[in-house]
Amino acid sequence: MDGRLDDLDRHLLSLLQANAREPAANLARKLKIARTTVVARIARLERDGVVAGYGVRLGQKLEHAAVRAICGISVNAKSAPAVIRALERVPEVEELSAVSGQFDYMLFLRCETPEKLDILLDQLGQLDGINQTQTSIVLSRKIDRRSAISTVPGPAP
């Protein structure tokens, strides 16, 4: 695939993001195309890596019951692979991104209570290879485009 999505691909992806369990026949009706076309397009999007998988989006009830935090961490360069492996085993880590600037990585964390976040941050600070952490608690999410589909055609990153 050349990285471009047509309008039908974008519409199909937005329907799948709203409900990934939607039957192909329903998607076909909404898109006004044949069910076999829907199935073929989904298979192509999966094969080309546009659709990497299907998951569960948490509802507002659980979302509001969680404490989310963003934690910048600085690591020893030689310890980075071991730190990443250790963080992969921490279920509260939703995302780990390599970044430029003051920190080497940003951790996106979700905990059930502030007390559990406090314990987790103490544990993270004790991991071999982590030099420094700085954490901010997320008070509210003002814009959420994590599942938005780009409408600008162009090559995939």
Side-chain angles (χ1 to χ4, degrees), residues 20 46 50-55:
E46 290 172 347
V50 174
V51 173
Y54 301 89

Side-chain angles (χ1 to χ4, degrees), residues 48-66:
D48 292 344
V50 174
V51 173
Y54 301 89
V56 174
R57 183 183 300 159
L58 299 176
Q60 290 297 322
K61 191 172 189 176
L62 186 58
E63 181 77 16
H64 291 305

